[in-house]
Amino acid sequence: MAGIEESGQGSTVAWVDPMGDPFLRTRFAPPARPVTFLRRERLVEHLDQALLTPLTVVNGAAGAGKTLLVAEWVTGLAQPVAWFTADTADQQPGMFWAYVLQALRSSGVPLPGDIRCPADASRVDRTLLARLAAELSGRDRPAIVVLDEYDRVTAPEIAEQLEFVLHHAGPGMRLVLVTRTEPLLPVHRYRAAGDLTEIRNAELAFTPEEAVLLLELHGLRLPVHAVGALVDRTGGWAAGLRLCALAARESPDPERYLKEFEAGRSTVADYLLAEVLKRRTAETQDLLLRVSILERLCPDLANALTRRTDAEPILAELHRENAFVEDLGRSWYRLHPLFGEILRAHLRERCPGLEPELHRRAARWLLRSGFLPETIAHGAAAGDWEFTAGAFVDGLAIGQLFTGLRRDELAELFSRMGSEAASPATDVVRAARDLSQGDLDRGLARLHHAGASLAADVPDAATDVPGPAAARLSCALLEALAARLAGSPLQAERAAEAAEELRQAVPAHLLGQHPELMALLLTHLGSTRLWVGRFEDARTALSAAAGCPGGASTALVREESLGHLALIDYLNGWHGRAERKALAATTDSERFGLCGSSGPDIGRMVLAAVAVDRNELDHAQALLDEAAGSRLSARDPVPATGRSLVTARLLLARGKTRAALAAVDPTVSTEVTSPWAQAQAALVASAVHLAEGRPDAAAEVLRQVPDDHPACAVEAARAQLAAGRPAAALDLLDRLRAEGPVGPAVTVRATLTRAQAALEAGDSAAAGKLVGQALLEARRERLRRPFLEAGPWIRRLLGTAPLQPLAAGWLTTGDALRLETPVPLVVQELSERERDVLRRLAQMMSTEEIAADLCVSVNTVKTHLKSVYRKLAVNRRNEAVRRARELRLL
């Protein structure tokens, strides 16, 4: 079968295949790389390991760039490579091995005369394979054999023969398979022995940085964020990026084209439909189109959508062939994002009107299988709002509208629910949405309507479905929230009692899946108790909420509870304790990426209040700006009142007495008046009167406050002293001492008032001793405002030798009171990721560029920026960079 061809360099043998046809030379040459080909060093370096392992598998989907990658690697080697591109015609062993032998000879591998081309296309002699393996095993340098498009070779017999040669050739052969499917070779055995080099789809995917370079080769220079979005949409798929680049190059606005191009009507769609969909059977095409509505799928779910029973083998085969179906493990799969997008467009065109029905089937299967989040998503996509709201409420997930990672997503999803949907569950969801926006009247009306409907619904004791019990428990949660907004302690206690009874009727596993519900209930109860001054009862409920498990699902509830506990400590005068709790309040939410909650940010408000008493006024203002809150917090009496009082105290510290008086009233109507809010407002009004020289008016304001408020008693003593009644002042202070321990913020002011009375009585020694006592106590908490508010008498004492060391550094400069605002320290250490963001901020990178550079979302960068600003006590980018340099963080 061989002919002799003479040449000037001697005789060469020109081979023909077993069918007598000449070998096709193009099948022995690596393909040429296009001018837009991008060499990716990380992959080429990985392929270098192929020189050290017997077997290398480069396995990826159509258009993943695997063949061009190996071709690029081959050209850089210092030795010849036997390249063979397989074809479906090579299914017969004789034909396959004839081409392999010719590839070896074409690359310069000398083979002896007894290793000849098989004469029969359908078979190959075992002796020939043994001779080939023995010949290769004796080589000084291994023969490198690349079999491209190996997925076209499906005969098990050939795979067995190839494994025989590879095994017995030993170090004399390095086999590289370029394939779309998993080869039939025992890959697991090579992997276990460390004799395998693998490059698969995930590694073949382009990174955003590589995509930028690829687009530049196509003449496109786009912002990093635009390229990052394209990589997300295409999954880094090489062919998709190239086809998009070619199409965008023809557009007058390439960036906008890449952002808005219709996947279903593009060259990418044509490629995928031709390469993947149209090559499949009608049954496979139908399955792919129907499951395209799913984020992830399993055979049973796919069968529910097709109403057939053949999904399992079809999905397994699609994954094995790298047909853009990714195996997630445990029999779950997902489609390549762009492929899924194209299939959905094709589904709407081929089967108009079918998509909502598919979503409906998926929702019902997912609900039966216990996948509530996906149930809600598909129920909403189907437009079946009564089913969706029913599943959401019966699943005890109503608390997720207020807390957790899915809060914003769920709020947006249910905002699409139309008024035509009418059921107790839809009323409950609408009530939750209204209350979350601070609309108490409308929320209560819907809540009562839902309650009346549920009262008429008798549960079926024979089933294990939570039904009305879960819905009633959800209503109890919303009743507690409504009570909190209304400042109604009686209503809150009733809601808590009802919830405790209803918990017994709800399956324990369901309660365990939603720890946020009881955490929210305890927080609402604690906040209402705090409002009416029942601090210890409030502390009990809030501490239980702060200790709830649940990770991200309860992070915001824990933050809010700790913020309330910090407020109690602040109101009792324990500023250090308040600060520690307020700082801890944000730790969990930041860890889970939940910064900037839309609810009341009481923790930062308390930190602002503490900063005012430390005379760190700019820092206090920055914290107050961050704690701006939402419509809900504007209606919630505790944060609304707290914010107005901190604002008033800040204005008072800046000397703006009239503005302080105007700011003290939050104009929040409540069922019960808060005693501490009344007392704090009186303190501000009294301080204004004292600052403007009206001590009797100051004393009169404080007479309206109950006698058991320590801070008011101290302020009343100051008023009496200013009015020239020292005996009355000391009597008030003596009564305060007898009532029990209070925090330093109160006792420091009380001690300074005693010192002033002693000084006015002519006992300067006692006055100095009392000021020293106040300095020692205040220094631990850096309380500066009490000394600034004491009046000019204290300056002379602070300048005396015994007191100078106690005041130096933190309170005084030399012998004068330190009136300037101190440079705030970092409130809390920056995390490593926050430092990454800060460094890029210093490089003048935009938010989008930082996100692309760190491979995170823009929202995540914004979250980190907000945290950095808070920790550095700044409001702007340039201030953050300047402060970071001052603190040597950059």
Side-chain angles (χ1 to χ4, degrees):
M1 306 249 351
I4 304 298
E5 184 177 279
E6 298 292 334
S7 71
Q9 302 180 342
S11 299
T12 61
V13 180
W15 292 90
V16 292
D17 68 26
M19 304 298 293
D21 297 324
F23 287 109
L24 300 175
R25 295 184 180 181
T26 54
R27 297 178 63 187
F28 303 120
R33 273 81 65 216
V35 293
T36 56
F37 174 78
L38 176 69
R39 177 184 172 90
R40 295 189 278 169
E41 291 298 335
R42 65 180 176 89
L43 295 178
V44 174
E45 290 175 5
H46 191 168
L47 263 179
D48 286 340
Q49 297 177 29
L51 300 174
L52 306 175
T53 58
L55 179 61
T56 295
V57 177
V58 182
N59 186 341
K66 51 193 181 294
T67 296
L68 292 179
L69 165 65
V70 177
E72 175 69 11
W73 173 70
V74 162
T75 60
L77 294 178
Q79 63 187 97
V81 173
W83 184 287
F84 164 41
T85 301
D87 190 272
T88 52
D90 303 324
Q91 293 299 316
Q92 300 185 81
M95 184 67 74
F96 174 83
W97 284 104
Y99 265 92
V100 170
L101 293 172
Q102 182 63 13
L104 286 166
R105 288 191 172 96
S106 298
S107 69
V109 175
L111 296 177
D114 61 346
I115 301 179
R116 303 179 62 85
C117 174
D120 187 346
S122 65
R123 60 179 295 276
V124 63
D125 193 286
R126 187 79 168 184
T127 303
L128 174 64
L129 299 179
R131 288 173 180 167
L132 174 61
E135 177 65 24
L136 292 175
S137 68
R139 288 180 56 82
D140 295 332
R141 296 181 65 185
I144 301 173
V145 180
V146 176
L147 300 186
D148 187 26
E149 300 192 26
Y150 182 71
D151 49 277
R152 295 186 176 189
V153 181
T154 58
E157 184 182 1
I158 293 176
E160 182 184 341
Q161 293 165 352
L162 190 60
E163 156 63 10
F164 171 83
V165 173
L166 180 62
H167 175 70
H168 291 287
M173 181 179 181
R174 297 288 182 256
L175 178 62
V176 180
L177 302 182
V178 184
T179 176
R180 293 186 188 182
T181 65
E182 191 68 13
L184 296 177
L185 300 174
V187 173
H188 63 282
R189 196 171 69 211
Y190 286 91
R191 185 183 295 120
D195 289 336
L196 176 67
T197 298
E198 294 179 271
I199 295 180
R200 296 184 178 271
N201 254 329
E203 195 174 355
L204 290 167
F206 273 69
T207 66
E209 294 76 15
E210 291 169 344
V212 168
L213 298 175
L214 179 66
L215 293 177
E216 286 179 355
L217 289 173
H218 287 78
L220 297 173
R221 292 185 178 274
L222 299 177
V224 175
H225 69 88
V227 177
L230 181 62
V231 170
D232 288 342
R233 193 172 180 189
T234 60
W237 178 46
L241 289 169
R242 289 192 174 94
L243 291 170
C244 286
L246 290 170
R249 196 166 58 182
E250 305 301 318
S251 171
D253 188 347
E255 183 179 349
R256 182 173 181 180
Y257 172 83
L258 291 176
K259 182 180 179 181
E260 300 178 356
F261 82 93
E262 295 182 56
R265 301 179 180 276
S266 65
T267 53
V268 182
D270 295 338
Y271 182 94
L272 280 174
L273 292 174
E275 285 290 324
V276 181
L277 189 65
K278 292 178 181 176
R279 295 169 119 192
R280 308 292 160 186
T281 65
E283 291 78 13
T284 301
Q285 289 187 36
D286 179 67
L287 181 141
L288 284 171
L289 289 171
R290 288 170 181 259
V291 301
S292 67
I293 66 159
L294 302 168
E295 289 292 325
R296 61 177 190 139
L297 61 141
C298 66
D300 285 347
L301 177 53
N303 286 334
L305 267 59
T306 62
R307 291 184 170 168
R308 303 198 311 262
T309 59
D310 57 353
E312 186 168 5
I314 291 176
L315 290 171
E317 179 68 13
L318 287 168
H319 169 63
R320 195 186 75 80
E321 295 183 6
N322 265 324
F324 294 88
V325 175
E326 180 183 351
D327 188 353
L328 300 177
R330 299 179 181 273
S331 297
W332 284 90
Y333 300 86
R334 71 178 170 201
L335 301 180
H336 183 284
L338 193 58
F339 187 37
E341 193 176 343
I342 290 166
L343 287 173
R344 285 191 293 277
H346 203 54
L347 171 68
R348 294 179 196 119
E349 185 177 306
R350 184 186 287 189
C351 308
L354 179 60
E355 194 171 358
E357 173 58 25
L358 293 174
H359 281 295
R360 191 172 288 108
R361 292 182 199 172
R364 279 152 176 76
W365 185 93
L366 288 161
L367 181 61
R368 290 194 303 272
S369 303
F371 299 107
L372 185 61
E374 290 159 293
T375 297
I376 304 306
H378 286 287
D384 193 344
W385 291 108
E386 292 183 15
F387 165 84
T388 303
F392 187 65
V393 173
D394 291 346
L396 213 62
I398 197 73
Q400 292 183 355
L401 282 170
F402 301 94
T403 184
L405 294 169
R406 301 186 62 232
R407 178 193 51 187
D408 295 337
E409 172 196 335
L410 288 168
E412 191 281 327
L413 182 146
F414 281 110
S415 70
R416 306 198 302 268
M417 184 168 64
S419 58
E420 69 282 355
S423 69
T426 58
D427 281 336
V428 171
V429 171
R430 289 192 183 101
R433 194 172 61 195
D434 291 338
L435 292 172
S436 71
Q437 295 172 351
D439 192 339
L440 181 59
D441 293 337
R442 178 185 277 186
L444 274 174
R446 283 179 165 154
L447 193 56
H448 293 157
H449 187 266
S453 300
L454 288 168
D457 189 359
V458 179
D460 183 359
T463 69
D464 191 33
V465 179
R472 290 193 187 100
L473 184 54
S474 299
C475 287
L477 169 68
L478 298 180
E479 289 281 2
L481 173 56
R484 170 178 170 177
L485 298 181
S488 174
L490 183 59
Q491 183 183 341
E493 297 294 342
R494 284 174 178 167
E497 289 172 6
E500 188 59 35
E501 290 180 12
L502 288 163
R503 285 180 62 185
Q504 312 307 316
V506 175
H509 75 274
L510 194 57
L511 283 168
Q513 290 169 7
H514 295 285
E516 73 278 353
L517 190 135
M518 295 311 297
L520 281 165
L521 184 69
L522 287 167
T523 303
H524 299 332
L525 180 62
S527 181
T528 310
R529 289 173 174 175
L530 190 161
W531 173 249
V532 295
R534 293 166 52 194
F535 286 175
E536 290 311 309
D537 289 340
R539 198 188 301 274
T540 299
L542 293 167
S543 297
C548 278
S553 68
T554 57
L556 289 178
V557 194
R558 294 196 300 271
E559 175 184 338
E560 195 176 346
S561 298
L562 281 169
H564 280 78
L565 289 167
L567 179 58
I568 293 173
D569 283 337
Y570 172 81
L571 292 172
N572 285 332
W574 299 97
H575 287 19
R577 295 179 190 173
E579 181 185 43
R580 288 190 291 274
K581 286 188 176 71
L583 288 173
T586 59
T587 302
D588 262 0
S589 59
E590 287 182 1
R591 181 159 62 93
F592 291 110
L594 289 166
C595 299
S597 90
S598 59
D601 195 347
I602 298 179
R604 284 182 177 81
M605 184 189 74
V606 171
L607 289 173
V610 171
V612 171
D613 267 0
R614 290 174 176 171
N615 204 43
E616 298 170 357
L617 305 185
D618 290 340
H619 184 36
Q621 185 63 63
L623 288 165
L624 206 53
D625 290 342
E626 285 185 23
S630 63
R631 289 169 63 182
L632 176 60
S633 59
R635 182 64 184 80
D636 189 339
V638 171
T641 301
R643 180 177 178 80
S644 68
L645 292 170
V646 177
T647 302
R649 290 190 58 78
L650 180 57
L651 290 168
L652 197 60
R654 294 190 186 280
K656 300 177 180 179
T657 54
R658 294 289 97 189
L661 207 54
V664 80
D665 184 7
T667 64
V668 176
S669 61
T670 57
E671 185 177 300
V672 176
T673 301
S674 170
W676 61 264
Q678 187 181 19
Q680 292 291 327
L683 282 171
V684 171
S686 172
V688 169
H689 289 309
L690 279 178
E692 295 179 350
R694 297 188 299 275
D696 288 332
E700 182 58 34
V701 166
L702 293 166
R703 285 193 189 96
Q704 301 170 24
V705 179
D707 294 337
D708 60 353
H709 199 283
C712 288
V714 174
E715 189 69 12
R718 289 185 64 218
Q720 293 294 342
L721 192 59
R725 295 186 286 270
L730 292 172
D731 181 57
L732 285 167
L733 295 175
D734 288 340
R735 275 189 278 162
L736 172 65
R737 179 183 292 172
E739 287 172 2
V742 288
V746 177
T747 57
V748 167
R749 285 181 167 88
T751 303
L752 288 176
T753 304
R754 288 183 181 279
Q756 184 181 359
L759 190 64
E760 290 180 3
D763 191 347
S764 57
K769 185 177 180 180
L770 286 165
V771 171
Q773 181 182 330
L775 283 169
L776 285 171
E777 192 170 10
R779 184 168 62 178
R780 287 194 296 270
E781 310 232 352
R782 304 198 306 279
L783 295 173
R784 299 184 182 91
R785 287 307 308 171
F787 297 89
L788 291 167
E789 294 166 355
W793 64 270
I794 202 169
R795 292 177 182 271
R796 180 171 57 82
L797 285 176
L798 291 175
T800 61
L803 298 180
Q804 272 186 336
L806 296 177
W810 72 278
L811 181 63
T812 63
T813 303
D815 60 354
L817 265 179
R818 184 174 174 178
L819 296 175
E820 72 275 15
T821 303
V823 176
L825 302 175
V826 179
V827 174
Q828 193 177 344
E829 286 296 320
L830 300 184
S831 67
E832 189 56 42
R833 182 43 62 94
E834 287 166 353
R835 288 174 181 265
D836 290 340
V837 170
L838 187 60
R839 282 190 283 269
R840 285 157 178 79
L841 210 62
Q843 297 170 19
M844 304 299 289
M845 292 175 69
S846 69
T847 304
E848 291 77 10
E849 289 169 337
I850 295 173
D853 201 38
L854 294 177
C855 297
V856 298
S857 71
V858 171
N859 283 340
T860 298
V861 173
K862 289 179 178 177
T863 293
H864 288 311
L865 282 175
K866 187 169 184 181
S867 182
V868 168
Y869 293 165
R870 177 182 63 78
K871 291 180 180 180
L872 296 180
V874 297
N875 292 318
R876 298 181 180 85
R877 287 168 166 251
N878 58 346
E879 292 175 355
V881 173
R882 176 178 55 77
R883 180 63 50 75
R885 284 176 176 147
E886 288 174 0
L887 297 170
R888 299 185 179 180
L889 296 176
L890 290 174

